[in-house]
Amino acid sequence: MNANILNFSIFHQRLILKANQIKIEESWKNVLSSEFDKPYFLELVHFLKSEKKKGTKIYPPGGLIFNAFKLTPFDKVKVVIIGQDPYHNPDEAMGLCFSVPEGIRVPPSLKNIYKEMHEDIGFEIPNHGNLTSWANEGVFLLNAMLTVEHKKAGSHKSMGWQKFTDAVIKNISDLKSNVVFLLWGKFAQGKQVLIDEGKHYVLSAAHPSPLARGAFFGNKHFSRCNELLRKSGQEEINWRLI
């Protein structure tokens, strides 16, 4: 065998081994197992390992990259909220879209989400932005890109994450029913083609960012979401964060 081919084969096998060691919640690992040895995912693993070796700061920390999957197992998913990529400042990203750890300033988009919830369902606005309890309730807080470089928004958008998270959305659509998808802004709405609307619910609105000039307000997605869950015989989401 040609030495170059042999070396590539060994390199490829090592990447597969690393991909198979991905620490993701077991039910998700079963659903997504076919993705982990695809070329794009192997290249993504290699890219992240290489960046780490170079000392590049990447968010969130490695143990939180798949935090949304850990907190909301596949069988527990009732609602999906789709974000774009993680926060790119230190200590902000925690593997859940729109969420930041307690003690970190609540981001402007999340403040607007809270305002809409207050008007819609009488939500008591908390002094933090940690949405972990929503994830525990069955709200899958998925960013389309699961990593980002320090201070470089969107820096990993072409690295393969979207192929992976598109597969995540497609598997939810194909294997579950009566999931409520909340698509805020054009980017999230671009994922609508992956969703079978014959068996799921899609609620669309403008992005909650202040740049949308208030267009997000008045959508009543939180009361509508719970109404749809009740209609399909599921428990409502307890949105309370206090």
Side-chain angles (χ1 to χ4, degrees):
M1 180 183 290
N2 180 286
N4 289 335
I5 295 175
L6 178 60
N7 288 337
F8 177 78
S9 177
I10 293 170
F11 176 68
H12 188 263
Q13 289 300 320
R14 285 175 179 167
L15 283 180
I16 289 176
L17 179 61
K18 287 177 181 177
N20 288 335
Q21 292 172 341
I22 293 295
K23 293 180 180 178
I24 191 169
E25 193 274 333
E26 198 63 28
S27 67
W28 282 108
K29 196 166 192 175
N30 292 335
V31 169
L32 300 168
S33 59
S34 63
E35 296 300 310
F36 296 136
D37 59 0
K38 289 183 178 178
Y40 84 85
F41 199 86
L42 301 180
E43 291 169 11
L44 176 57
V45 170
H46 177 60
F47 166 75
L48 292 173
K49 293 280 185 181
S50 299
E51 291 298 294
K52 185 177 179 181
K53 284 182 180 178
K54 289 182 345 189
T56 305
K57 288 184 181 178
I58 292 175
Y59 305 129
L64 293 178
I65 291 174
F66 293 103
N67 197 26
F69 300 81
K70 174 186 175 183
L71 296 174
T72 315
F74 182 77
D75 294 341
K76 302 294 185 183
V77 175
K78 296 191 288 187
V79 179
V80 178
I81 299 177
I82 300 174
Q84 196 157 341
D85 65 342
Y87 298 116
H88 56 269
N89 293 316
D91 303 320
E92 292 182 344
M94 56 182 297
L96 305 174
C97 71
F98 294 105
S99 181
V100 293
E102 293 188 32
I104 299 296
R105 179 183 61 87
V106 177
S109 291
L110 185 53
K111 284 185 178 180
N112 281 346
I113 291 170
Y114 285 173
K115 288 178 184 177
E116 171 59 24
M117 296 177 77
H118 178 71
E119 292 300 317
D120 182 21
I121 58 174
F123 175 77
E124 188 176 348
I125 297 176
N127 63 358
H128 66 84
N130 188 337
L131 307 182
T132 295
S133 64
W134 291 3
N136 290 331
E137 284 278 313
V139 182
F140 187 47
L141 297 165
L142 179 68
N143 273 318
M145 281 69 73
L146 299 187
T147 58
V148 70
E149 187 176 337
H150 172 71
K151 295 288 187 180
K152 293 184 179 179
S155 51
H156 291 180
K157 67 180 180 181
S158 302
M159 298 304 168
W161 277 128
Q162 287 197 73
K163 290 181 181 179
F164 178 73
T165 53
D166 281 358
V168 170
I169 296 166
K170 188 73 165 57
N171 273 285
I172 293 172
S173 178
D174 290 348
L175 301 177
K176 295 181 71 70
S177 58
N178 298 313
V179 173
V180 183
F181 289 84
L182 305 183
L183 306 183
W184 299 333
K186 289 183 179 179
F187 180 85
Q189 289 159 14
K191 306 299 181 181
Q192 192 163 348
V193 295
L194 302 169
I195 303 164
D196 182 351
E197 295 184 62
K199 54 189 290 205
H200 299 287
Y201 308 103
V202 174
L203 300 179
S204 296
H207 196 278
S209 167
L211 297 176
R213 298 173 182 246
F216 177 76
F217 298 128
N219 62 62
K220 299 189 181 299
H221 275 189
F222 305 93
S223 59
R224 291 170 66 191
C225 176
N226 276 348
E227 182 182 344
L228 291 169
L229 291 174
R230 285 197 306 272
K231 178 182 174 182
S232 60
Q234 301 179 78
E235 278 192 43
E236 297 180 4
I237 300 299
N238 177 4
W239 297 106
R240 192 170 184 268
L241 289 172
I242 301 298

